[in-house]
Amino acid sequence: MTDTQDAIRTFADHVIATQFEAIPADAIRAAKTFLLDSLGVGVAGTRAGHVDAWIGGYGGAVSGPGGRVWGLGGTLPTPAAAAVNGYLIHNSEYDCVHEGAVLHPMATLLSALMAEMEARAAAGRPTDGKALLRAIVLGVDVSTSIGNAVTTGLKFFRPATAGGFGATAAVGAIAGLDRETMLDAFGLYYAQAGGTMQAHTEGLALLAMQAGFCARDAVVAVHMAEQGIPGTRGTLEGPYGYLRIMEDDYDRAALLDGLGRVWRITEVAHKPFPSGRATHGLLDGLSTLQAEHHVPVDAVERVEAAVPPLTQRLIGRPVKPGMTANYARLSGPYTAARLLLTGKLDLTDFTEAALADPATLDLGARIAVTVDGNPDPNAFSPVAVAVVLKDGRRLERRVEVVYGSPAKPMSREAHLEKFRRNMAHGRGGLPAENADRLIALVDDLESVADTRALIDLIVPA
């Protein structure tokens, strides 16, 4: 494989050559949906731990004008704003996901894109709604096509590492980079990319911060490329390229198959619950069983879930005293216990009181997540859920398609209800009417001349 054959060139051409008018209506609708969803999730993320420390750590790190902090206000230099807002989007595990790519495509992309958009507008180069939608669609194409091609399990934290390629593409799209400069930007991003799954294993807020790191790196990469600094050309498939170092194996045909024909944003799944997507099959199955049988929680002896290997790896962790919210969001037993006890799972289920609740710990200890032998290392489903009752009855449900996926989508009403809840949950005290104003603005985004208007509605006046 020579550098001139590296797939990164095809991605650069796709980003540069694809015009807004070539993007089909369903992809534009999906871009609007997940733009709105991500803005709301970012506002809700202001209540997570470490937010003030995260902002403070960046306050003196770099200088220059930039973007506003979502939900709270205040301005940080562009790379720092990208980093902070990337953490806000992902810290509640409520942001959308591409299941095939095992990647949250909007956290890294949108935080970088919106911070850069604000800086360019302040310099007299505003980004209109069509340009923003185009950048989102193309950035998601890049990141999820990379993730979708991988045939081995997670080693690095792909939402950050591969997500950063999507962020670089999106920022490069609104910057109007030419082909060689776009290639430089991709290479310069890769030189900075990082993100370890160890943060996931330990249940740390650092996991979401890694999305912020890579958003920051994408902004810096585009700025460096604009200054004429060269980047690598064997960025994806060279002997030390991303797909050979940060992933273990990939399918080259799948890497490029459908580019410009299959719009990956239409494959993105909603997150109806603020927990790892790998928990959602279990939660979907339990919700269905509860709706069908109305089982009192005190009649439950235990719960069994047979899941694919990736799912067990991601959410098989047991409940334990002293759990952090980050740990609990990625625990199938904890999230299932809260759903059974409260009839729902929302952001309030990750407070200190909820995490220490004796009934939750007791029930969670009786919920087992085991491997079902699925050979696909990146599969989230199917999931087999069984509720065993104290009277000996066994209630079972097999979930082939998980709620929130394009094949089993949230309705627009459910999507907007989630968005409004997230806007109200943020700690910045935004006016209630801003939610409806933002919904209307995103619905008519093609006519918006300066997309800073979106940020105006998610920061305090």
Side-chain angles (χ1 to χ4, degrees):
M1 176 71 62
T2 67
D3 292 350
T4 58
Q5 296 171 312
D6 195 290
I8 200 67
R9 294 178 177 271
T10 305
F11 286 123
D13 290 341
H14 177 61
V15 174
I16 291 164
T18 305
Q19 299 304 307
F20 178 84
E21 291 72 22
I23 301 172
D26 60 343
I28 295 299
R29 281 194 300 272
K32 289 180 177 181
T33 294
F34 294 115
L35 167 62
L36 187 70
D37 182 71
S38 302
L39 293 172
V41 169
V43 171
T46 57
R47 289 206 180 267
H50 310 291
V51 168
D52 293 334
W54 184 239
I55 294 169
Y58 272 103
V62 285
S63 61
R68 287 169 284 179
V69 176
W70 297 5
L72 296 175
T75 300
L76 291 171
T78 306
V84 167
N85 292 331
Y87 174 58
L88 295 182
I89 294 172
H90 192 54
N91 66 28
S92 298
E93 283 286 346
Y94 218 0
D95 53 315
C96 59
V97 62
H98 189 288
E99 293 183 350
V102 195
L103 192 154
H104 299 261
M106 292 294 276
T108 302
L109 183 158
L110 193 64
S111 54
L113 178 59
M114 299 302 275
E116 183 67 16
M117 171 272 294
E118 285 208 86
R120 289 181 181 268
R125 294 171 290 169
T127 301
D128 65 29
K130 289 184 178 180
L132 183 66
L133 289 166
R134 172 180 177 269
I136 290 170
V137 170
L138 296 175
V140 171
D141 268 358
V142 170
S143 63
T144 58
S145 292
I146 293 170
N148 210 44
V150 178
T151 57
T152 49
L154 292 174
K155 180 168 62 172
F156 289 83
F157 184 49
R158 196 177 299 150
T161 56
F165 284 107
T168 303
V171 174
I174 66 164
L177 301 188
D178 60 31
R179 185 177 193 252
E180 292 304 310
T181 310
M182 184 71 79
L183 289 171
D184 286 333
F186 281 135
L188 289 161
Y189 163 71
Y190 176 49
Q192 305 171 78
T196 171
M197 284 297 290
Q198 190 62 33
H200 184 288
T201 298
E202 297 184 22
L204 300 178
L206 179 59
L207 187 72
M209 292 175 180
Q210 292 175 155
F213 291 152
C214 289
R216 173 201 65 196
D217 296 343
V219 169
V220 170
V222 171
H223 291 181
M224 288 180 172
E226 288 181 308
Q227 293 299 314
I229 299 174
T232 56
R233 290 299 187 268
T235 301
L236 289 179
E237 299 182 278
Y240 301 100
Y242 173 83
L243 287 165
R244 300 188 187 278
I245 298 297
M246 302 189 90
E247 306 288 357
D248 284 333
D249 202 3
Y250 71 103
D251 179 345
R252 192 171 199 273
L255 183 64
L256 301 175
D257 183 41
L259 199 63
R261 180 173 51 82
V262 177
W263 303 90
R264 297 296 179 189
I265 196 159
T266 65
E267 301 172 338
V268 172
H270 249 119
K271 296 279 286 292
F273 307 107
S275 56
R277 180 60 175 173
T279 68
H280 285 205
L282 170 57
L283 300 176
D284 189 0
L286 287 175
S287 296
T288 302
L289 287 173
Q290 284 289 66
E292 291 174 347
H293 299 282
H294 307 287
V295 177
V297 70
D298 58 6
V300 175
E301 175 65 31
R302 66 184 186 275
V303 175
E304 301 168 357
V307 303
L310 175 65
T311 299
Q312 199 281 334
R313 175 186 168 194
L314 294 177
I315 60 119
R317 61 185 63 180
V319 296
K320 62 181 183 179
M323 288 181 294
T324 64
N326 302 94
Y327 178 101
R329 291 182 196 282
L330 299 164
S331 168
Y334 177 83
T335 55
R338 293 300 296 176
L339 182 77
L340 288 171
L341 286 164
T342 68
K344 59 178 179 54
L345 187 76
D346 63 24
L347 292 163
T348 61
D349 286 298
F350 299 92
T351 62
E352 289 185 10
L355 293 168
D357 175 56
T360 301
L361 296 175
D362 175 68
L363 180 56
R366 292 182 277 122
I367 297 174
V369 180
T370 59
V371 175
D372 67 358
N374 191 318
D376 184 346
N378 291 310
F380 285 113
S381 58
V383 170
V385 181
V387 177
V388 181
L389 303 181
K390 292 177 180 177
D391 64 10
R393 285 184 296 156
R394 184 181 180 91
L395 310 176
E396 297 182 333
R397 169 65 60 172
R398 183 177 173 87
V399 178
E400 298 281 353
V401 179
V402 180
Y403 179 45
S405 73
K408 191 178 180 181
M410 291 177 70
S411 66
R412 176 172 167 85
E413 291 74 18
H415 152 57
L416 295 182
E417 180 185 355
K418 173 189 171 182
F419 170 71
R420 291 188 178 100
R421 287 199 314 271
N422 279 325
M423 286 285 284
H425 186 78
R427 66 178 232 237
L430 298 175
E433 61 269 20
N434 280 21
D436 287 332
R437 292 173 63 195
L438 194 51
I439 291 167
L441 194 64
V442 171
D443 280 347
D444 193 33
L445 196 56
E446 292 91 337
S447 67
V448 175
D450 185 345
T451 48
R452 281 180 297 184
L454 297 168
I455 309 300
D456 291 343
L457 292 173
I458 60 169
V459 297

